Amino acid sequence: MNWATYLPMLWQGALVTMSITLAAIVIGACLAFFFGIMRAEGGPILSKVALCYTEVFRGTSLFVQLFWFYYALPLIGFSFDPITTGIFVLAAHAGGYGAEIVRGALASVSVQQLEAARALNFGRFQTLFRISLPQAIVEMMPAFGNLAIETLKLSSLVSLISIADLTFAAQSIRNLTLDSASIYSVTLVGYFAMSLLLMAVIKVIERLVRRGNVFPREAQP
């Protein structure tokens, strides 16, 4: 097999995979904080809206979500290109799980901290953004790291909607060469290498967060 011909195809697919994964992680994190805070602090109505979002995206298959948004949604007048669809569905899926991480971390802040904030006449949002959230973010980081790695692995499903990611490239080359063992071995190594790189970045961010260099923590009341 002529690797000089096929390795650039795999490399290009890996770049697409990383681009989609990073975009999905960033957007998913934003969704996670938005809906997680809504669950924890949104009151009876907004918390139920957030609950519906998390249950839908956590309780249904990502495979079905991709197909529904790409093939079924256009039937009611909304159509998006494969890249946009892939990023949105991965982000929404990650956001559903991430929202529960945010909610749980906010709930872990000690009652004494919240009572002290009320004693100092802190408002609801002041308590959230100056006391609860800076402490909760530290607790969220390991779980968010695992979620980011899971998002990378799940990104292989976007090949099903014709996105030329690493899995799509591997499948295309395999169809041309019929060399399953070599192609999928290289693909496996590629995903593992991307996971190691992503884990290294996450570890750096986690250390910075714990030191307070990214999200400075207020002095505890």
Side-chain angles (χ1 to χ4, degrees):
M1 186 170 61
N2 186 1
W3 285 105
T5 300
Y6 297 123
L7 281 178
M9 294 174 60
L10 292 172
W11 172 250
Q12 187 62 38
L15 292 178
V16 172
T17 292
M18 284 302 297
S19 299
I20 289 175
T21 300
L22 292 175
I25 289 171
V26 172
I27 297 171
C30 294
L31 291 172
F33 276 96
F34 180 78
F35 286 101
I37 291 172
M38 190 184 294
R39 281 282 323 265
E41 303 289 342
I45 296 177
L46 291 179
S47 64
K48 285 183 173 58
V49 172
L51 178 62
C52 288
Y53 163 77
T54 58
E55 292 304 309
V56 166
F57 282 97
R58 292 195 310 150
T60 57
S61 165
L62 179 62
F63 178 92
V64 177
Q65 291 169 21
L66 277 168
F67 274 62
W68 191 87
F69 278 95
Y70 190 65
Y71 292 110
L73 196 61
L75 298 178
I76 58 176
F78 298 95
S79 180
F80 301 98
D81 63 87
I83 294 288
T84 301
T85 302
I87 291 173
F88 171 76
V89 174
L90 280 173
H93 185 83
Y97 283 93
E100 283 299 294
I101 295 172
V102 173
R103 183 196 62 79
L106 288 173
S108 71
V109 177
S110 68
V111 175
Q112 291 82 0
Q113 290 283 311
L114 303 180
E115 290 176 347
R118 283 194 291 270
L120 292 174
N121 204 29
F122 278 19
R124 185 176 180 181
F125 288 101
Q126 192 176 16
T127 300
L128 173 65
F129 288 103
R130 296 184 62 185
I131 304 300
S132 300
L133 199 54
Q135 296 180 64
I137 285 174
V138 177
E139 303 301 322
M140 298 174 198
M141 288 307 300
F144 267 121
N146 292 335
L147 185 58
I149 298 299
E150 187 66 20
T151 301
L152 170 62
K153 293 188 290 185
L154 290 174
S155 70
S156 61
L157 290 176
V158 302
S159 63
L160 298 172
I161 57 172
S162 303
I163 295 178
D165 69 333
L166 179 56
T167 299
F168 185 92
Q171 185 62 32
S172 299
I173 297 170
R174 184 264 172 194
N175 291 338
L176 291 172
T177 64
L178 301 180
D179 185 356
S180 300
S182 298
I183 292 299
Y184 289 129
S185 295
V186 172
T187 303
L188 189 68
V189 171
Y191 274 104
F192 183 62
M194 288 188 288
S195 294
L196 289 178
L197 178 61
L198 186 56
M199 282 190 287
V201 173
I202 291 168
K203 289 294 184 183
V204 171
I205 295 174
E206 186 174 343
R207 284 198 297 269
L208 292 174
V209 168
R210 290 190 179 279
R211 294 173 184 171
N213 294 338
V214 176
F215 301 100
R217 279 167 274 176
E218 293 286 331
Q220 297 180 0

